[in-house]
Amino acid sequence: MPPIEPVLYPRFNILRTSHIELTVEDLAASRRFYADILGMVVSEETTCGRLYLRAMEERGHHSLCLRQGTPAKCSVIGFKVFDNQDLDRLDKFFVGHGLSTGFAKRPHMGRVLRVTDPWGVPLEFYASMERLRPIHQQYRLYGGVKPLRIDHVNLFSPDVDAAVAFYNSLGFRLTEYTEDEETGRMWAAWLQRKGTVHDIAFTNGKGPRLHHLAYWVMSPMSIIDLLDLMSTSGYLAHIERGPGRHGISNAFFLYVRDPDNHRIEFYCSDYQTVDPDHEPIKWDLHDPTRQTLWGAPAPRSWFEEGTAFENVEVLKPVVAGTPIVAP
Amino acid sequence: MPPIEPVLYPRFNILRTSHIELTVEDLAASRRFYADILGMVVSEETTCGRLYLRAMEERGHHSLCLRQGTPAKCSVIGFKVFDNQDLDRLDKFFVGHGLSTGFAKRPHMGRVLRVTDPWGVPLEFYASMERLRPIHQQYRLYGGVKPLRIDHVNLFSPDVDAAVAFYNSLGFRLTEYTEDEETGRMWAAWLQRKGTVHDIAFTNGKGPRLHHLAYWVMSPMSIIDLLDLMSTSGYLAHIERGPGRHGISNAFFLYVRDPDNHRIEFYCSDYQTVDPDHEPIKWDLHDPTRQTLWGAPAPRSWFEEGTAFENVEVLKPVVAGTPIVAP
Amino acid sequence: MPPIEPVLYPRFNILRTSHIELTVEDLAASRRFYADILGMVVSEETTCGRLYLRAMEERGHHSLCLRQGTPAKCSVIGFKVFDNQDLDRLDKFFVGHGLSTGFAKRPHMGRVLRVTDPWGVPLEFYASMERLRPIHQQYRLYGGVKPLRIDHVNLFSPDVDAAVAFYNSLGFRLTEYTEDEETGRMWAAWLQRKGTVHDIAFTNGKGPRLHHLAYWVMSPMSIIDLLDLMSTSGYLAHIERGPGRHGISNAFFLYVRDPDNHRIEFYCSDYQTVDPDHEPIKWDLHDPTRQTLWGAPAPRSWFEEGTAFENVEVLKPVVAGTPIVAP
Amino acid sequence: MPPIEPVLYPRFNILRTSHIELTVEDLAASRRFYADILGMVVSEETTCGRLYLRAMEERGHHSLCLRQGTPAKCSVIGFKVFDNQDLDRLDKFFVGHGLSTGFAKRPHMGRVLRVTDPWGVPLEFYASMERLRPIHQQYRLYGGVKPLRIDHVNLFSPDVDAAVAFYNSLGFRLTEYTEDEETGRMWAAWLQRKGTVHDIAFTNGKGPRLHHLAYWVMSPMSIIDLLDLMSTSGYLAHIERGPGRHGISNAFFLYVRDPDNHRIEFYCSDYQTVDPDHEPIKWDLHDPTRQTLWGAPAPRSWFEEGTAFENVEVLKPVVAGTPIVAP
């Protein structure tokens, strides 16, 4: 299947993946992990069990909201849009596709449009979030992996081709993809809005489920520092995969699991994709350098485990098949 | 003076600073400098004395064109736009401002609109340039400073306030600026289109002149490698300023001079600015950490020397005043 | 078993591990690997099929000699001593232990004492080797992993306790070791002369065999550069293990295999051990952070495969037991 | 003047520069600087106004002792020797040279020999210091510049040739030196015991005075981190020179001044010098790459300011002449 023709002038301007909200079973343990180990900065902890965090370069109130609750789930993925008119256009678009929509009152944000995508994934769009003062030059506040900004989310999808088509119609552009030569179907796809390799990616598998969220870091050395810190501070078992360089995206990466098994990627060194004629790069499903340029396989957990979305049914993938696992 | 309100929905979509054309007096010497020392990759050298170069991540035919000639000048700065309709809208805009415009035939590009800005700076806009195959994962081709992509241009301007207002009306958004508290005028300004700190910047001084063009690199270590290479390969005198971290932009930098004294910056670690409500950061003209966060002063040459544009008169700045020079 | 009391004032002053000689089946292929990919500098290639190589910081004629021949073996490990009197003292020592010794004429070296250790490992000692002019500040010559100097050799040993005792009597001091708690025997040991974690190490296994030789590099980034280069230049299958940080030695590492399957480690960031009262660090055989601080297991090949010494019988280890392999 | 022939088998085995004691006027301010900003680890703070510090890799009780007092001086430089017999041999040596000696009781150390060198510099030698548990793999304790170990001291000397001759007779070997071609005298010299470029260095100038003490760090990135931290935490004015790479030693460096103006260097990437036939490298006094390979000049303060030794007269240099200062 050829890559889908991108909608270059979408009717709405989604700027970037902005934030995510996760349920966690022990907020204090999560705070230790995200703030003390990873180095995220706490914007606010509410008395009703919400912890808002941002990365060093972010001026919006939060890119991560942790909510005390059980079981551990993902409750929403947020995107920032250009202005409030985009919200009305998006509302019309989702209604037109027969999907549930609604404007919601949400802390620290202006108007918020809540919708679900065709697989039930809860999304929210907004144009303005409370702005905090810059801290990117307060170097005494940097710690852990020195996270700089949210980069992307990655979802298990039961039908990657259909997911790409839908998000493409929202204006997301394909940058790289893996194709199964035998079936001609996409196995995984990376799509972007902000001019990097992705804001959202989809991988074939039981879904919809959140595979991971990712923060951008300065350089591979920040990731090596985190590995040294985690392995000698009681978080050895939370290291899942890496460090390595992805063939796809060319980014240097590390995957860790938080205390509730939510997966976080630290990521750097991908490339600029602002040109609308930036050609998507196609990878063969059997190319060993696709997932790790250096050939190291990912562990089974990485192919199979993910975070369910709140109240969303998980479906079997349209394309059957075993994920590629290390021998 | 408060920062000028950005035009958020410009009538045309300029994507990014794309390329620059420089006249050089000895093309062979320039090739040695740019290809063998800096690590740029040659796309083409023509029999009529043009050398086209790209950086490792670029898929357009070139971001730098060197043309044998004398004296050494800058002949044009290029910007990529979203599509060909943008060119017509830009043509109308420049004509409406009483500025010279014209469509030109240029090698390796589709339709090209040539204009001059109000100070005579030659600009060209295009939507499509010949695409070359990706080389960003051919690591055996990386050398020198491992340049990744063109990042920005910086111009001496005789009237920074007016330059900011004009480029703002083209859709460039202000990210940081230096204000002279006494006069309330801008001393320098950084404006962007592609979601980083800048695509173009203006500094008070005799102009219009090109202060420098800049390439984005992976990390400070690439810059340190270049310093080691240049200082032990006969290019010691070509190192002008740095390494250091800018207060403004937070980027790690190095400035070098090419064989014709054109100034090139290598630059990394600035931040993302895609949010339209990204607040510009204001710096005081007397803050020593503004130019170098670590306090080291720039040499006098850095404040005074630049590349003239072909056939463009250099004016004295509206704001008199000595540039800040190291004691 | 408590660590053996080091002989602090040995009768001879062995300075450091100096060089190694390997037989390779295709010298041209080996030259491409060591010079073009790894970045070793060729000192000399003889018409009789010997290739001499040094690393960037080395001023001796070579630290690696490759000899065309079949099958691929290790023919000798070399150590530099303080002066020629040390050679006579070492001769007496080896003779006193009933071991074969003899003075040999060797290219590029002064007097050379050839001996075998109690397990038949061929060793050579010398005080002076032809000195070449420094190249460590000729940065245009740096390539590949930017190897700086030979750091150590590591051997499979059929009796680690006995090997440690013997090399200890030569003046090598224990810095770290792995003990099998059940048997009280050493599983692996690291011993040094030059004030770093090791010049030689022994690992339990069928031996004697060479496990690997190691070169010291500047930083983890040099190793990441090599991984990117090897995986995109046809040498993907030559990457065996890493990158990672060893628990033991705290060093950052990568293991690669050359065209004959000889194993090379690139290594940096270990620590200084010049104090004679530097306490050896003991590790438990079952500590997962021992081999890789970050917990990643080594592949089976790393535990089992090695290079035989020329004309030396390989013995089963005194301590039976399966090497620790990744599940 | 040819480099002095080193004494290869000195009668005593000085292992390395071990520690230094400085008087500081405000111990609390010094603690903030050394512990909170630089990242040194406090071993002990006594009620009588002494603060003992070590770097991350050090297992001796301290490499830096700060003593509340006025005015700010250097009270002693310490060296570790192989064993207690070395102390008796050193005592005899200094007595033989008509220099003052005496055994002293010092906290945290065994037998301590206190002497003065021919210019009155207070030195102390010891074989054993209280050993603390390793912390080099407790990565949560790393902060600031992540100092790893003391590397060397550098002294202004009124007679460099004579200083080199004296320390040479103690077993220190010359690795690099600057010669004034006109007079044939050494301008500066680097001498080592531990197998790196130096344990002690001498620079022509009013002396004896301490020019700086230096700590070894992991990589240039640690130094860049410190620059970012100091410049944004109220310590901008404490940055004196750098970052840069020395021509001499090839090391990457930064010089900072503590609250009492004592100068500290952070230093990495020099080379191994354990070979007794390691040829000293000679530099010309007028080579601009000598002090900084990249050509940047040092500030005047760096050439002129230093820390006096307690109760030691400062003499004019035998060789007159202005230090080389930036134009």
Side-chain angles (χ1 to χ4, degrees):
Chain A
M1 198 198 81
I4 291 152
E5 189 60 28
V7 174
L8 293 181
Y9 270 121
R11 284 142 290 178
F12 17 77
N13 188 353
I14 298 170
L15 295 166
R16 60 180 180 87
T17 295
S18 154
H19 61 274
I20 197 166
E21 190 170 307
L22 300 172
T23 310
V24 298
E25 301 205 351
D26 178 346
L27 195 59
S30 295
R31 182 177 175 135
R32 279 194 299 276
F33 184 73
Y34 283 95
D36 300 348
I37 299 298
L38 301 185
M40 300 280 293
V41 173
V42 173
S43 298
E44 184 183 3
E45 185 168 1
T46 70
T47 51
C48 62
R50 281 166 186 260
L51 181 70
Y52 293 97
L53 298 141
R54 66 167 163 158
M56 302 311 297
E57 187 183 305
E58 293 174 329
R59 302 196 202 162
H61 180 268
H62 61 275
S63 58
L64 180 60
C65 173
L66 303 178
R67 222 177 55 195
Q68 173 86 40
T70 178
K73 292 276 171 98
C74 175
S75 37
V76 75
I77 297 171
F79 298 92
K80 186 176 174 84
V81 298
F82 197 90
D83 65 14
N84 280 319
Q85 296 173 28
D86 286 320
L87 300 181
D88 297 315
R89 295 187 202 106
L90 281 160
D91 185 31
K92 199 174 294 180
F93 176 89
F94 278 87
V95 167
H97 280 70
L99 296 164
S100 76
T101 76
F103 283 88
K105 194 146 184 50
R106 295 273 286 155
H108 307 291
M109 284 183 269
R111 275 180 94 205
V112 172
L113 174 69
R114 294 291 294 251
V115 304
T116 56
D117 82 359
W119 297 271
V121 177
L123 309 176
E124 66 187 11
F125 297 91
Y126 74 95
S128 71
M129 183 190 276
E130 185 185 338
R131 304 292 283 184
L132 303 182
R133 70 190 170 85
I135 51 172
H136 65 290
Q137 290 186 323
Q138 296 189 31
Y139 281 100
R140 69 182 184 281
L141 301 183
Y142 282 70
V145 74
K146 300 177 178 173
L148 295 186
R149 56 177 180 265
I150 195 167
D151 189 83
H152 63 263
V153 291
N154 184 309
L155 276 63
F156 280 119
S157 165
D159 187 344
V160 174
D161 283 319
V164 169
F166 181 78
Y167 280 84
N168 206 259
S169 67
L170 285 167
F172 289 83
R173 298 184 206 153
L174 191 67
T175 56
E176 306 211 15
Y177 63 106
T178 303
E179 193 176 282
D180 183 346
E181 297 273 338
E182 291 170 42
T183 63
R185 294 185 64 100
M186 283 196 198
W187 186 268
W190 286 255
L191 300 106
Q192 65 88 17
R193 282 300 305 162
K194 71 180 175 301
T196 66
V197 171
H198 55 324
D199 282 276
I200 193 165
F202 300 99
T203 306
N204 188 59
K206 280 185 289 186
R209 287 180 302 154
L210 178 69
H211 188 276
H212 65 264
L213 72 152
Y215 278 89
W216 207 83
V217 298
M218 283 181 208
S219 87
M221 291 310 300
S222 303
I223 283 173
I224 290 168
D225 286 346
L226 180 64
L227 283 157
D228 290 335
L229 179 65
M230 287 181 66
S231 59
T232 59
S233 302
Y235 290 91
L236 178 64
H238 293 248
I239 299 169
E240 186 186 31
R241 179 186 168 202
R245 186 183 301 285
H246 289 305
I248 292 170
S249 81
N250 203 39
F252 194 91
F253 70 86
L254 173 71
Y255 295 94
V256 304
R257 305 295 289 271
D258 86 354
D260 292 275
N261 266 329
H262 300 307
R263 185 183 289 111
I264 320 290
E265 181 182 19
F266 298 102
Y267 180 93
C268 64
S269 298
D270 69 347
Y271 56 86
Q272 194 182 85
T273 63
V274 298
D275 292 1
D277 52 355
H278 199 86
E279 311 81 352
I281 297 177
K282 174 176 152 181
W283 294 80
D284 187 278
L285 189 54
H286 302 289
D287 181 341
T289 69
R290 178 176 53 93
Q291 293 189 325
T292 307
L293 190 65
W294 311 332
R300 179 171 292 272
S301 62
W302 192 88
F303 288 98
E304 296 182 350
E305 299 176 10
T307 296
F309 290 102
E310 224 161 38
N311 307 317
V312 179
E313 190 188 359
V314 173
L315 307 172
K316 284 193 184 166
V318 171
V319 185
T322 319
I324 313 302
V325 178
Chain B
M1 199 197 80
I4 291 152
E5 190 59 29
V7 175
L8 293 180
Y9 270 121
R11 284 145 286 177
F12 16 77
N13 188 355
I14 299 170
L15 295 167
R16 59 179 181 89
T17 295
S18 155
H19 60 275
I20 197 165
E21 191 170 308
L22 300 172
T23 310
V24 298
E25 302 205 350
D26 178 348
L27 195 60
S30 294
R31 182 177 175 138
R32 280 194 299 277
F33 184 73
Y34 283 95
D36 300 348
I37 298 298
L38 301 186
M40 300 280 293
V41 173
V42 174
S43 298
E44 184 183 3
E45 185 168 359
T46 69
T47 51
C48 62
R50 281 167 187 262
L51 181 69
Y52 293 97
L53 297 141
R54 64 166 163 160
M56 303 312 297
E57 187 182 305
E58 293 173 331
R59 303 196 201 163
H61 180 269
H62 60 275
S63 58
L64 180 60
C65 173
L66 303 178
R67 219 177 58 194
Q68 174 87 39
T70 177
K73 291 277 171 98
C74 176
S75 37
V76 75
I77 297 170
F79 298 91
K80 186 177 174 84
V81 299
F82 198 90
D83 65 14
N84 280 319
Q85 297 172 28
D86 286 319
L87 300 180
D88 298 316
R89 294 186 201 107
L90 280 160
D91 184 31
K92 200 174 294 180
F93 176 89
F94 277 86
V95 166
H97 280 69
L99 297 165
S100 76
T101 75
F103 283 89
K105 194 146 182 55
R106 297 271 288 154
H108 308 291
M109 284 185 269
R111 272 182 97 205
V112 172
L113 175 69
R114 293 292 294 252
V115 304
T116 56
D117 82 359
W119 295 271
V121 177
L123 308 176
E124 66 186 13
F125 297 91
Y126 74 95
S128 71
M129 182 190 276
E130 185 186 338
R131 305 291 284 184
L132 302 183
R133 69 191 171 83
I135 52 172
H136 66 289
Q137 289 187 323
Q138 296 190 29
Y139 281 100
R140 69 183 183 282
L141 301 183
Y142 282 70
V145 73
K146 299 177 179 172
L148 295 186
R149 58 178 179 266
I150 194 167
D151 189 83
H152 63 263
V153 291
N154 185 308
L155 275 63
F156 280 118
S157 166
D159 187 343
V160 174
D161 283 319
V164 169
F166 180 79
Y167 281 83
N168 207 260
S169 68
L170 284 167
F172 289 82
R173 297 184 205 152
L174 190 68
T175 56
E176 307 211 14
Y177 64 105
T178 303
E179 193 176 282
D180 183 346
E181 297 273 338
E182 291 170 43
T183 62
R185 294 186 64 101
M186 284 196 195
W187 186 268
W190 286 255
L191 300 106
Q192 65 88 17
R193 283 299 306 162
K194 70 180 174 303
T196 66
V197 170
H198 56 323
D199 282 275
I200 192 164
F202 300 98
T203 305
N204 188 58
K206 280 185 289 184
R209 288 180 300 153
L210 177 69
H211 188 277
H212 66 264
L213 73 152
Y215 279 88
W216 208 83
V217 298
M218 282 180 207
S219 87
M221 292 310 300
S222 303
I223 284 174
I224 290 168
D225 286 347
L226 180 64
L227 283 157
D228 290 335
L229 179 64
M230 287 181 66
S231 59
T232 60
S233 302
Y235 290 92
L236 178 64
H238 293 248
I239 299 169
E240 186 184 32
R241 179 185 167 201
R245 185 183 301 286
H246 289 306
I248 292 169
S249 81
N250 202 40
F252 194 90
F253 71 87
L254 173 71
Y255 295 94
V256 304
R257 306 296 287 272
D258 85 355
D260 292 275
N261 267 327
H262 300 306
R263 186 182 287 111
I264 320 290
E265 182 183 18
F266 298 102
Y267 180 94
C268 63
S269 299
D270 68 346
Y271 54 85
Q272 194 183 85
T273 63
V274 298
D275 293 2
D277 52 354
H278 199 85
E279 310 81 352
I281 297 177
K282 174 176 151 183
W283 294 80
D284 187 277
L285 189 55
H286 303 289
D287 182 342
T289 69
R290 177 176 54 93
Q291 293 190 324
T292 307
L293 189 66
W294 312 332
R300 179 172 292 272
S301 63
W302 192 89
F303 287 99
E304 298 181 350
E305 299 176 10
T307 296
F309 290 102
E310 223 159 38
N311 306 316
V312 178
E313 190 189 359
V314 172
L315 307 171
K316 285 195 183 165
V318 170
V319 186
T322 319
I324 313 302
V325 178
Chain C
M1 197 199 80
I4 291 152
E5 189 60 30
V7 174
L8 293 181
Y9 270 121
R11 283 143 290 178
F12 17 76
N13 188 354
I14 298 169
L15 295 167
R16 60 180 180 88
T17 295
S18 154
H19 61 274
I20 197 164
E21 190 170 307
L22 300 173
T23 309
V24 298
E25 303 205 349
D26 178 348
L27 195 61
S30 295
R31 183 177 175 136
R32 279 193 300 275
F33 184 73
Y34 283 96
D36 300 348
I37 299 298
L38 301 185
M40 300 280 294
V41 173
V42 174
S43 299
E44 184 183 4
E45 185 166 1
T46 70
T47 52
C48 62
R50 280 165 186 262
L51 180 71
Y52 293 97
L53 298 140
R54 64 167 162 158
M56 302 311 298
E57 186 183 306
E58 293 174 330
R59 302 196 202 162
H61 180 269
H62 61 275
S63 58
L64 179 60
C65 173
L66 302 179
R67 221 177 56 195
Q68 173 86 40
T70 177
K73 291 277 171 96
C74 176
S75 38
V76 75
I77 297 170
F79 298 93
K80 185 175 174 82
V81 300
F82 197 91
D83 65 13
N84 280 319
Q85 297 173 28
D86 286 318
L87 300 180
D88 298 316
R89 295 187 201 104
L90 280 160
D91 185 32
K92 199 174 293 177
F93 176 89
F94 278 88
V95 167
H97 281 69
L99 296 164
S100 77
T101 76
F103 284 88
K105 195 147 181 51
R106 296 271 287 154
H108 308 289
M109 284 184 269
R111 275 182 93 204
V112 171
L113 175 68
R114 293 291 296 250
V115 305
T116 56
D117 83 358
W119 297 270
V121 177
L123 309 176
E124 66 186 14
F125 298 91
Y126 74 95
S128 71
M129 182 190 276
E130 186 186 337
R131 303 293 282 186
L132 302 183
R133 71 190 169 85
I135 51 171
H136 66 290
Q137 290 186 323
Q138 296 189 31
Y139 282 100
R140 68 183 183 282
L141 301 182
Y142 281 70
V145 75
K146 299 178 178 172
L148 295 186
R149 57 178 179 265
I150 194 167
D151 189 83
H152 64 263
V153 291
N154 185 308
L155 276 63
F156 281 119
S157 167
D159 187 343
V160 173
D161 282 320
V164 168
F166 180 78
Y167 280 84
N168 207 259
S169 69
L170 285 166
F172 289 82
R173 297 182 206 153
L174 191 68
T175 57
E176 307 211 16
Y177 63 105
T178 304
E179 194 176 282
D180 182 347
E181 296 274 339
E182 291 170 42
T183 64
R185 295 186 64 102
M186 283 195 198
W187 186 269
W190 286 256
L191 299 106
Q192 66 88 16
R193 283 298 304 160
K194 70 180 175 303
T196 66
V197 171
H198 56 322
D199 282 276
I200 193 165
F202 300 98
T203 306
N204 188 59
K206 281 184 289 184
R209 287 179 300 153
L210 177 69
H211 187 276
H212 66 265
L213 73 151
Y215 279 88
W216 207 83
V217 297
M218 281 179 207
S219 87
M221 290 312 299
S222 304
I223 283 173
I224 290 167
D225 286 346
L226 181 64
L227 283 156
D228 289 334
L229 179 64
M230 288 181 66
S231 58
T232 59
S233 303
Y235 290 92
L236 178 64
H238 293 248
I239 299 169
E240 186 184 32
R241 178 186 168 201
R245 186 183 300 287
H246 289 307
I248 292 169
S249 82
N250 202 40
F252 194 91
F253 70 86
L254 173 72
Y255 294 94
V256 304
R257 307 295 288 272
D258 85 354
D260 292 274
N261 267 328
H262 301 306
R263 184 182 289 110
I264 320 289
E265 181 182 19
F266 298 101
Y267 179 93
C268 63
S269 299
D270 69 346
Y271 55 86
Q272 193 182 86
T273 62
V274 299
D275 292 2
D277 52 355
H278 198 86
E279 312 81 351
I281 297 177
K282 174 177 153 181
W283 293 80
D284 187 276
L285 189 54
H286 303 289
D287 182 341
T289 69
R290 177 176 55 92
Q291 293 189 324
T292 307
L293 190 66
W294 312 331
R300 180 171 291 272
S301 63
W302 192 89
F303 288 99
E304 296 183 349
E305 300 176 10
T307 296
F309 290 101
E310 223 159 41
N311 307 317
V312 179
E313 189 189 1
V314 172
L315 307 172
K316 284 193 183 165
V318 170
V319 185
T322 320
I324 312 302
V325 178
Chain D
M1 198 197 82
I4 291 151
E5 190 59 31
V7 176
L8 294 180
Y9 270 121
R11 285 143 288 177
F12 18 77
N13 189 354
I14 299 170
L15 295 167
R16 60 179 179 89
T17 295
S18 153
H19 61 274
I20 197 164
E21 191 170 307
L22 301 172
T23 311
V24 298
E25 301 206 351
D26 178 347
L27 196 59
S30 294
R31 182 177 177 138
R32 280 193 299 276
F33 184 73
Y34 284 95
D36 300 347
I37 299 297
L38 301 185
M40 301 278 295
V41 173
V42 173
S43 298
E44 185 183 4
E45 184 168 0
T46 69
T47 51
C48 62
R50 281 165 186 263
L51 181 70
Y52 293 97
L53 297 141
R54 65 167 161 157
M56 301 312 298
E57 186 181 307
E58 293 173 329
R59 303 197 201 161
H61 180 268
H62 60 276
S63 58
L64 180 60
C65 173
L66 302 178
R67 220 177 57 195
Q68 173 87 42
T70 177
K73 292 276 171 100
C74 175
S75 38
V76 74
I77 297 170
F79 299 91
K80 185 174 174 86
V81 299
F82 198 91
D83 66 13
N84 280 319
Q85 296 173 30
D86 286 318
L87 301 180
D88 297 316
R89 295 186 202 107
L90 280 160
D91 185 31
K92 200 174 294 178
F93 176 88
F94 278 87
V95 167
H97 280 70
L99 296 164
S100 76
T101 76
F103 283 89
K105 193 145 184 53
R106 297 272 286 155
H108 307 291
M109 284 184 268
R111 273 181 95 205
V112 172
L113 175 69
R114 294 290 295 252
V115 304
T116 56
D117 83 359
W119 297 269
V121 177
L123 309 176
E124 66 186 13
F125 298 91
Y126 74 94
S128 70
M129 183 189 275
E130 184 185 338
R131 303 292 282 185
L132 302 183
R133 70 190 170 84
I135 52 172
H136 65 290
Q137 290 186 323
Q138 296 189 31
Y139 281 100
R140 69 182 182 282
L141 301 182
Y142 281 70
V145 73
K146 300 177 178 172
L148 295 185
R149 55 177 180 267
I150 195 167
D151 189 84
H152 63 263
V153 291
N154 185 308
L155 275 63
F156 280 118
S157 166
D159 187 344
V160 173
D161 283 320
V164 169
F166 181 78
Y167 281 83
N168 206 260
S169 68
L170 285 167
F172 288 82
R173 297 182 206 155
L174 191 67
T175 56
E176 306 211 15
Y177 64 105
T178 303
E179 194 175 282
D180 182 346
E181 297 274 338
E182 291 170 42
T183 63
R185 295 186 64 101
M186 284 195 196
W187 187 268
W190 286 255
L191 300 106
Q192 65 88 15
R193 282 300 305 162
K194 70 181 174 304
T196 65
V197 170
H198 56 322
D199 283 276
I200 192 165
F202 300 99
T203 306
N204 187 59
K206 281 186 288 184
R209 288 179 299 154
L210 177 70
H211 188 277
H212 66 264
L213 73 151
Y215 278 89
W216 208 83
V217 297
M218 282 179 205
S219 88
M221 291 311 299
S222 304
I223 283 174
I224 290 167
D225 286 346
L226 181 65
L227 283 157
D228 289 335
L229 179 64
M230 287 181 66
S231 59
T232 59
S233 302
Y235 290 92
L236 178 65
H238 293 248
I239 299 169
E240 187 185 31
R241 179 187 167 200
R245 185 182 301 286
H246 289 306
I248 292 169
S249 82
N250 202 40
F252 193 91
F253 70 86
L254 172 72
Y255 294 93
V256 304
R257 306 295 290 271
D258 86 354
D260 292 274
N261 267 328
H262 300 306
R263 184 183 289 110
I264 321 290
E265 182 183 18
F266 299 101
Y267 179 95
C268 63
S269 300
D270 68 345
Y271 56 85
Q272 194 183 86
T273 62
V274 298
D275 292 2
D277 51 356
H278 198 86
E279 312 80 351
I281 296 178
K282 174 176 151 182
W283 293 80
D284 186 276
L285 189 54
H286 302 289
D287 182 341
T289 68
R290 177 177 54 94
Q291 293 189 325
T292 307
L293 189 65
W294 311 332
R300 179 172 292 272
S301 63
W302 192 87
F303 288 98
E304 297 181 350
E305 299 175 12
T307 297
F309 290 103
E310 222 159 39
N311 307 317
V312 179
E313 190 188 0
V314 173
L315 307 173
K316 284 193 183 164
V318 170
V319 185
T322 319
I324 312 301
V325 178

